Structures are given as C-alpha cells and as structure tokens.
Amino acid sequence: MVAIFVQFADPALRQRLFDGMWRTLQPGGLLCVQGYTPKQLDYRTGGPGRLDHLYTPELLRSLLPEAEWLVLREHEATLQEGAGHAGRSALIDAVARKPR
C-alpha cells in the first residue's frame, strides 16, 4: 500500500486514515509513505503549509506503533511535479512492515 503526500488530512483524519491502511494490510504487508517534513515550511515549494499536517519520524512511529520500520528517513530533494510541487523540498520516506 502506498500513501504519497496525503497531508490534506488534519490530525484526527490522519489517524483514521493510517488506522484504516494498517488494518487492511495483511501480516507481512508493506505501507510506503512519502510526505513533507516541517522544514518544508521554509521552502514553500509545495505541501499544505500547516505544521500539524507535516510528518516527522516520531509522528509516523506514533501512528503505526506496531510497525517494523524498514525505511524511515528525512532528506531533501528537488521536485518537479507540476506547479504545486516544484523546487527544493524537505521530505520523509518511510516503509513500514506489518508483523507476521
């Protein structure tokens, strides 16, 4: 399952979305997430522009406390994904495995 830039969700909706995605995964299944980190507010090259909609490793760990984290890293990259997402960006990539 993949969740890319689902930062339209406020914290309550985000919790429901992640709970639902996790619930639907089979044991051993993977959830891949990419989103913006709070540093994205400095770049202003895309994203919701709201701190409570951005991801940190700690937030993802709290959303998926049972996950085995295969990847959980913050990094920066230059995106060219249309007018709404162009330029230097502060990103987080994550791959969580549901235990068997």
Side-chain angles (χ1 to χ4, degrees), residues 16-34:
R16 290 194 310 272
L17 288 170
F18 275 78
D19 286 348
M21 289 186 287
W22 194 249
R23 195 172 44 253
T24 64
L25 279 178
Q26 295 291 324
L30 301 177
L31 173 60
C32 302
V33 178
Q34 184 176 58

Side-chain angles (χ1 to χ4, degrees), residues 1 12-13 17 24 27 39 46 57 68-69 87-88 92:
M1 184 174 301
L13 177 56
L17 288 170
T24 64
K39 189 172 181 181
E68 174 189 351
W69 293 99
R88 194 77 179 153
I92 190 165

Side-chain angles (χ1 to χ4, degrees), residues 4 19 28-29 38 44 47 50 53 58 62-63 69 74 84-85 89 97:
I4 299 175
D19 286 348
R44 305 176 69 137
R50 293 185 51 178
H53 287 227
E58 296 76 23
S62 73
L63 289 168
W69 293 99
E74 296 176 87
H85 297 100
S89 299
R97 182 178 6 223

Side-chain angles (χ1 to χ4, degrees), residues 20-100:
M21 289 186 287
W22 194 249
R23 195 172 44 253
T24 64
L25 279 178
Q26 295 291 324
L30 301 177
L31 173 60
C32 302
V33 178
Q34 184 176 58
Y36 289 117
T37 70
K39 189 172 181 181
Q40 181 63 17
L41 295 174
D42 296 335
Y43 289 124
R44 305 176 69 137
T45 55
R50 293 185 51 178
L51 183 61
D52 65 342
H53 287 227
L54 302 174
Y55 297 129
T56 65
E58 296 76 23
L59 174 65
L60 291 173
R61 284 188 192 101
S62 73
L63 289 168
L64 303 171
E66 299 171 1
E68 174 189 351
W69 293 99
L70 305 179
V71 175
L72 187 53
R73 71 179 187 105
E74 296 176 87
H75 63 100
E76 295 183 13
T78 301
L79 299 181
Q80 297 299 327
E81 300 175 351
H85 297 100
R88 194 77 179 153
S89 299
L91 305 167
I92 190 165
D93 296 336
V95 179
R97 182 178 6 223
K98 189 171 188 176
R100 294 188 184 270

